[in-house]
Amino acid sequence: MTMPEPDATPPDQAAVTTPARGVPLAAPETTAPDDAATPAAPSLDATTPAAPLAPEPTPAAPPVPAAPGYGPVPPAPQYGPVPPAQQYGPVPPGQQYGPVPPGQQYGPVPPGQQYGPVPPGQQYGPVPPGQQYGPVHPGQQYGPVPGQPGAALVPAGPSGPGLGVLALPAAAAGIAYAATLLVALVASIALLAAVPSDTALPGGALVSLPFVLAGTALLGPLHSSGSAYGYDAISLQLTIVPLTLSLVALAAVALWTRLRGRADRTAKERWRDALITGGVLGFGGALLAAIVRLTWSVDVLFVSADLKIGAAPFGTLLGGFVIGTLGSALGSATTRRGPDTRRLGFGLPRAVSTTLGNLLTAGAVSTALVAVVGLVVGIIKLGVTTTITLLLTLLPNATAYALALGGFGGITSSGSLTDGSDQTASLLSGDTPGGMWACVALVLVAVLIAAVRGFLASGPRSWGEAWVTPAVLLVVTGLGAIITSVRFSTSGDLADSDAGALHLSFLTILLAAVWGLVIEVVERVVAPLVVSLVPALPGLYARVSGRDLAEVQEARTEVPAGDQRTARIIAFSVLGAVVLIGAALGARAVASNVLFSPKAPVEAYVSAIEGGHAADALALADPDLPTAQRTLLTDDVYGAVENRPTGGHITDVETSGDDAWVTVESKQDGATVTQELHLTKQGHAFLLFDRWVLDSPEVPSVDLYAALPTDATSVLVNGVEVDVSETSTFSALPGTYTVSLPVPEGSDELLTSTEADVAVEWSDEYGSAYLDYDDALTYALTDDAASQVEELATGYLTKDCIGVGTLTVETCGLDIWEYREDEATDVAWTLDGDPTLETTLESPEEILVHVSGSATVSYNLPAADYWPAESPVEADDYEFWITYSMSSGTFVQTDVSEWGW
């Protein structure tokens, strides 16, 4: 019987001829792996090289005995289509068996020789004479050959669908969850290390938290429920996807499927495995989410609550199914040259698949850049552990938000986050940090990478395909807005239900199409110049994509040479612009950290305080005080204050959104003083830098009331006269203040005031420094004034008391009783020692001198009836008070009194 033409057999069902009766059997279905070239079929003679494509005639093989042959082949067995009830007879000499691989041919078959290409490690052993194999049942293959232990006709394998099909998908799901759990464990350790030591953590947090994070990575919302005060129900649901962990799960499934999946599977089988993988991952994740939950007993101030926190099982089930299915499908469709959706039963247009590759490459590079910048900035601002936690959970989320801002889109917050109204933050908003302008550079880098990669992948393209990137980027951004959104809702007996959301704005999605068009333009105009100036790019792309370098270079050479000088001018201009932008961004970063950081206003404020410049300090942080309270807040007063704070330096800076807290440590009067200052972000300086405004710290106060005379209307504070007629309590910056009474004009050389010192510290911000009654302020005569007054009083005593020549001087308290006083002559008083003078300053205008002592008087009495002449000597005490007033710097006696009033 005549052999069928080789083309009659499909490529994956090449016929082989059995040695018994020449019956062609289908070759086993052994498709070579994607990343291995198909080997050439070996020659029928193991010692003879493969015959050329046009073989020389060879002797016919000896006829095969009919007795031991194989029985009739059942209709339509698994080895290739067989004509009904047809069997093949002897093979004509030189006849090849079935379709021959290029460059190969089957010559005469020596007895016992193997037939056709043999799967690696397999061999068709010789058939003992008289041996025959029974009919082949549909779906069956031949096992070991009788009489030849260990030899097999075809590789062993399952006979059909069964439990074996679950092995690969189940393993992929398990590997994915384990990889996600491992990364979540590292993130959990970093997160718990970042929590302050005095914070009460849930019991077994290190064990449970990784499972909770893994559940949220499978798109399960974070759900918390419990009770407060023992009976009030609480429910909180937070939807935030840690995309870093989600991508770990997706990549693990894809990689395992790519490495372990059979290459000969059909599209239907690949989708079957993908759905099974998704189901196992979703079901397993949901089961663990339901079992493993955080239990937290909170007791803070007046709140006592018992909470259970975990990922919602139903959401985890759906999310795990989606991630597992997509990951398995991606792994099945991936070859060395990238994804090939034809392996899944459908094909994407080349322009669409290329665009997806462009965007994926740009996104990967953008994420890497965000990771580097985030690592540096995060360690400086947040610390190592917090930064690691964020990178291992929310890095892709942050990249999406950074690209949205850099593309002049926005982030919209709604619900209770904004009191019910939608608010969108963008680079053009007044409250957006100036540092976010660096996101524009991130978008420009992503555009250039996507354009260059597109040019290398496809070469010059017509403008008719310029719609592809805008359309694809629009869809991708819309999906990104959904997956990166943050939503929360609360309900319970303690308060009304509440909800809020944070997501990419609708404008961001629309602008994505515009940026897609920009990529298309850059790919056609700028990318050829970049490739021509960077010769290493085609080789780099060829190595990464697995494509042939010659093919990539061919796309490059198709670019018209054009004016190379113009190309270089444009390229170097762009490069210079990039360098300038980079330098500007670097200068901005330095300026932001040095001149426009929260430290800058605080350092200026501390410097003004230490220098005694009250006006400059108030210009930086003006307290909300009435004018009467500001009397001491002047340069004249504060410039003379002693013991102001010195050596002030910043020890800590904490920022949260638009708020910053800066801790300052300084020395005051030998003691260490710590102060925390609060700043608020208010718009921008020069459109690029954050403008931090120092909120006025609570200014201490000083109370002078207890030390003031009752009739005092003013006092001197550090030499500056201050009105105290309405209030004696004033605001004061830290330092030591000297308080005294003012001296009337013209009396500077006669009067002086006692002084009292009062120390004001930052710690007095919630109270006040004050003077005590022991610090009562009074006037005093100067030494010269006291000498003048005493001299005047002594003169009055000598002249108007002792020198009057009478036995009685009432104003001076001298009074000698003598019956014949009127007859006394030669009356002479002499002082018995120096008088005692006591000077009292009754007021700045009046001085009272108390004069006291004793004196001796001698006098003569003439003889008279019944009395002889006598010369008695007697002593008497004197005491009186002299009042002086001060006028034009001199003392004027205004009164003398025997009684002191």
Side-chain angles (χ1 to χ4, degrees), residues 487-769:
R487 302 181 184 277
F488 76 91
S489 61
T490 61
S491 61
D493 299 333
L494 289 176
D496 296 334
S497 298
D498 203 357
L502 186 72
H503 54 85
L504 301 183
S505 66
F506 182 71
L507 177 63
T508 302
I509 301 174
L510 297 180
L511 287 175
V514 177
W515 283 106
L517 184 59
V518 172
I519 293 175
E520 293 282 355
V521 173
V522 173
E523 178 182 335
R524 289 161 173 79
V525 178
V526 178
L529 300 178
V530 174
V531 173
S532 65
L533 293 174
V534 186
L537 284 178
L540 176 62
Y541 172 72
R543 287 193 298 271
V544 173
S545 64
R547 294 180 60 181
D548 183 47
L549 178 59
E551 179 184 353
V552 177
Q553 289 178 332
E554 181 182 357
R556 175 191 171 191
T557 56
E558 292 177 8
V559 182
D563 188 347
Q564 293 296 325
R565 183 172 178 272
T566 303
R568 286 185 172 83
I569 292 175
I570 295 175
F572 283 113
S573 299
V574 172
L575 180 61
V578 171
V579 172
L580 289 177
I581 292 174
L585 292 175
R588 182 202 170 279
V590 172
S592 295
N593 290 328
V594 176
L595 302 177
F596 298 95
S597 70
K599 291 183 179 180
V602 173
E603 289 172 343
Y605 183 79
V606 170
S607 177
I609 294 294
E610 293 182 354
H613 306 300
D616 293 341
L618 297 185
L620 292 168
D622 189 9
D624 185 14
L625 296 172
T627 302
Q629 293 289 324
R630 296 172 176 261
T631 305
L632 304 185
L633 303 179
T634 63
D635 288 347
D636 292 338
V637 174
Y638 197 57
V641 168
E642 297 183 353
N643 296 326
R644 293 190 301 267
T646 59
H649 60 281
I650 295 174
T651 60
D652 186 41
V653 178
E654 295 183 5
T655 58
S656 177
D658 294 341
D659 298 288
W661 293 266
V662 179
T663 303
V664 179
E665 190 175 280
S666 57
K667 292 285 187 179
Q668 183 177 356
D669 198 17
T672 300
V673 179
T674 301
Q675 183 188 17
E676 186 177 74
L677 301 176
H678 179 258
L679 298 94
T680 304
K681 190 188 306 178
Q682 297 182 3
H684 296 89
F686 306 108
L687 299 178
L688 297 176
F689 305 100
D690 296 333
R691 182 173 177 269
W692 291 97
V693 177
L694 178 63
D695 294 343
S696 177
E698 292 290 336
V699 180
S701 61
V702 58
D703 188 354
L704 309 177
Y705 175 78
L708 298 179
T710 56
D711 58 348
T713 59
S714 64
V715 294
L716 295 179
V717 180
N718 291 352
V720 178
E721 188 168 1
V722 176
D723 184 10
V724 293
S725 60
E726 295 182 0
T727 181
S728 58
T729 302
F730 305 96
S731 296
L733 295 170
T736 300
Y737 294 78
T738 300
V739 185
S740 61
L741 295 172
V743 176
E745 186 177 357
S747 302
D748 296 346
E749 297 180 359
L750 302 178
L751 291 178
T752 185
S753 170
T754 59
E755 294 181 344
D757 292 335
V758 56
V760 179
E761 300 178 351
W762 283 123
S763 57
D764 297 321
E765 56 184 318
Y766 298 113
S768 64

Side-chain angles (χ1 to χ4, degrees), residues 82 634 883:
V82 180
T634 63
T883 301

Side-chain angles (χ1 to χ4, degrees), residues 353-375:
S353 60
T354 300
T355 298
L356 288 174
N358 300 341
L359 298 180
L360 180 62
T361 303
V365 174
S366 300
T367 303
L369 292 175
V370 172
V372 173
V373 175
L375 184 64

